[in-house]
């Protein structure tokens, strides 16, 4: 029987994961839920379906992880997994992007901008970001009216659907993983941050401008801004679409 560690920073997906895991008849005794200590949703939740989540720093506690687990799931975990860990224990990443396109940070933001395909991917982890052999993936459509948030919600649903279909195979190892067709491209947090300041004098098409604003519109997040030339103060911008 495999001992499983689920490491995450995303409470919504962990709850879905555990409910799928239990609905397939897997044992509570074999699974541990852990959140990153810094950005931990631990304060928001005491138990998930009777399981008590713990805080775990994968860098400092990786020897215990190697010793105590046979399979690790990263479900939007912000911590970088040490190379030695991914070499010694099978680690599977649930990623909100369609590898190898726009690997890394906030794939839907970059797909809205560069028109590369978007989706959800479950893959074996290697030493590079969102890079290992693909186990399964599903593309989602990006509509002209999508914001980052509406596209992200569609991706999360695709992640849940993949987990629902694949979890028993992910646990038993009964699947054939394949190499991505190429290296694709990688976006980092700094690439996202560099999009935020809007240059009011930049000349570009209206379509490009709408794309930039919708890529940076995600609920209440204050992403896109310009500096008011008169006051020197930041003014945040987001966009709303009304469809008939
Ligand atoms: O956890 P996650 O959904 O995903 C991110 C990376 O995109 C992913 O590649 C990595 N595997 C994972 C560990 O971290 O990100 P999040 O929960 O921080 O944010 C969810 C969405 O919210 C994001 O796609 C865009 C939006 N967002 C988030 C922040 C913090 C913003 O628009 N602005 C923000 O400042």
């Amino acid at each position: 029987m495999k001992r499983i560690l689920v490491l995450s920073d995303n409470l919504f997906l962990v709850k879905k994961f555990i409910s799928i895991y239990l609905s397939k008849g897997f044992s509570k005794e074999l699974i541990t839920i852990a959140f990153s200590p810094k950005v931990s949703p631990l304060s928001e939740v005491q138990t998930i379906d009777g399981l008590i989540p713990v805080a775990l720093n994968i860098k400092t506690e990786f020897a215990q992880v190697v010793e105590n687990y046979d399979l690790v799931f990263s479900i939007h975990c912000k911590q970088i997994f040490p190379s030695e860990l991914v070499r010694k224990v099978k680690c599977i990443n649930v990623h909100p992007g369609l590898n190898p396109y726009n690997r890394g940070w906030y794939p839907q933001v970059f797909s809205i901008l560069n028109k590369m395909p978007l989706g959800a991917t479950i893959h074996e982890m290697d030493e590079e970001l969102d890079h290992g052999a693909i186990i399964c993936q599903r593309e989602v459509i990006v509509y002209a009216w999508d914001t980052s948030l509406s596209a992200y919600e569609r991706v999360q649903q695709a992640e849940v659907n993949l987990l629902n279909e694949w979890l028993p195979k992910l646990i038993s190892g009964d699947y054939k993983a394949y190499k991505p067709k190429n290296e694709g491209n990688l976006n980092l947090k700094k690439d996202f941050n560099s999009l935020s300041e809007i240059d009011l004098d930049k000349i570009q098409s209206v379509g490009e401008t709408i794309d930039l604003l919708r890529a940076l519109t995600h609920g209440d997040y204050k992403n896109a801004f310009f500096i008011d030339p008169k006051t020197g103060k930041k003014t945040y911008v987001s966009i709303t679409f009304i469809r008939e």
Side-chain angles (χ1 to χ4, degrees):
M1 280 303 200
K2 283 192 176 141
R3 299 156 304 165
I4 300 167
L5 174 67
V6 174
L7 192 48
S8 179
D9 293 301
N10 183 311
L11 189 54
F12 168 82
L13 281 177
V14 168
K15 284 183 173 171
K16 292 282 183 197
F17 182 100
I18 295 299
S19 120
I20 293 167
Y21 175 86
L22 295 175
S23 75
K24 309 275 180 200
F26 291 108
S27 161
K28 276 186 189 174
E29 313 302 317
L30 296 172
I31 195 157
T32 304
I33 306 167
F35 292 109
S36 307
K38 267 194 202 153
V39 272
S40 176
L42 272 176
S43 51
E44 292 171 44
V45 65
Q46 245 120 64
T47 63
I48 298 172
D49 281 321
L51 292 160
I52 301 170
V54 297
L56 193 144
N57 179 324
I58 198 71
K59 256 195 203 128
T60 56
E61 296 173 71
F62 104 95
Q64 292 98 296
V65 173
V66 171
E67 192 174 320
N68 293 318
Y69 297 98
D70 308 295
L71 179 60
V72 179
F73 283 96
S74 163
I75 305 196
H76 295 211
C77 172
K78 296 266 195 290
Q79 299 182 69
I80 303 284
F81 280 36
S83 303
E84 211 175 328
L85 175 63
V86 300
R87 283 200 300 266
K88 288 189 166 158
V89 182
K90 163 101 59 89
C91 296
I92 292 180
N93 187 27
V94 178
H95 173 64
L98 195 76
N99 290 358
Y101 306 106
N102 289 320
R103 292 160 37 222
W105 218 243
Y106 304 168
Q108 81 283 354
V109 169
F110 293 94
S111 284
I112 288 172
L113 292 172
N114 63 22
K115 312 298 174 201
M116 286 183 189
L118 178 66
T121 301
I122 300 182
H123 67 93
E124 291 184 346
M125 292 170 78
D126 64 11
E127 291 166 29
E128 290 179 59
L129 267 184
D130 307 324
H131 184 268
I134 296 171
I135 302 167
C136 57
Q137 61 179 182
R138 186 147 308 153
E139 185 167 355
V140 304
I141 300 176
V142 179
Y143 295 100
W145 45 264
D146 267 321
T147 61
S148 167
L149 177 60
S150 60
Y152 182 73
E153 285 172 344
R154 204 172 297 122
V155 169
Q156 272 204 331
Q157 191 52 52
E159 291 176 284
V160 172
N161 294 345
L162 283 177
L163 283 171
N164 201 25
E165 287 165 39
W166 284 79
L167 192 59
K169 288 181 188 162
L170 299 177
I171 292 173
S172 65
D174 179 22
Y175 60 77
K176 241 186 146 161
Y178 55 95
K179 270 184 91 168
K181 51 189 162 202
N182 54 52
E183 289 295 297
N185 63 312
L186 177 69
N187 305 298
L188 303 176
K189 192 165 188 233
K190 64 178 166 56
D191 300 313
F192 173 76
N193 291 341
S194 73
L195 296 170
S196 297
E197 182 166 354
I198 293 172
D199 176 356
L200 294 176
D201 296 321
K202 185 170 178 189
I203 293 176
Q204 61 183 13
S205 72
V206 176
E208 284 166 339
T209 307
I210 289 176
D211 280 351
L212 179 63
L213 294 180
R214 69 196 184 98
L216 294 172
T217 296
H218 195 113
D220 293 334
Y221 281 118
K222 290 176 173 168
N223 292 327
F225 68 90
F226 61 83
I227 304 291
D228 183 332
K230 290 212 170 84
T231 63
K233 288 204 168 147
K234 273 187 180 178
T235 301
Y236 289 95
V237 191
S238 62
I239 193 167
T240 309
F241 295 103
I242 298 163
R243 288 184 297 134
E244 294 210 312

